[in-house]
Amino acid sequence: KTILKDTGTTLKCLRMAHTIFDGHQLQGLLQACEQLEEIDLYACTNVGDEALAYLCKQNPKLRSINVARTLVTDQGIQWMSSEAKAL
């Protein structure tokens, strides 16, 4: 958490594939990542729609999100496609 606190304000790409954490931990992690444009959550099996919504709202500069093999549902993808304009 300290590393992201120090560098998160300039971080543009975060690859977290196969990492074990839940949506609440992801939210805490991303609070410092104001410039994030790309995130890879492939096979982060505890990440779902709520975390995706938070991610899109917290990081409006996001252009790329990989949520393959997560708990994100079709409803989450539909919400993301209508609300996250940069994606």
Side-chain angles (χ1 to χ4, degrees), residues 46 51-52 80:
N46 293 327
L52 179 65
M80 181 179 65

Side-chain angles (χ1 to χ4, degrees), residues 7-77:
T7 62
T9 56
T10 59
L11 189 66
K12 294 194 182 278
C13 179
L14 185 59
R15 302 207 186 280
M16 299 185 65
H18 299 280
T19 306
I20 299 173
F21 58 88
D22 63 27
H24 295 290
Q25 291 166 324
L26 178 64
Q27 290 175 9
L29 183 70
L30 294 175
Q31 286 178 347
C33 300
E34 301 166 353
Q35 302 298 318
L36 196 62
E37 295 177 2
E38 180 182 341
I39 188 165
D40 182 1
L41 299 171
Y42 178 83
C44 294
T45 56
N46 293 327
V47 173
D49 293 346
E50 184 179 327
L52 179 65
Y54 178 85
L55 178 63
C56 292
K57 289 177 187 176
Q58 182 74 18
N59 303 90
K61 295 181 181 184
L62 276 174
R63 296 182 319 201
S64 175
I65 301 175
N66 182 356
V67 291
R69 299 192 62 201
T70 65
L71 295 177
V72 173
T73 66
D74 289 345
Q75 182 179 351
I77 298 296

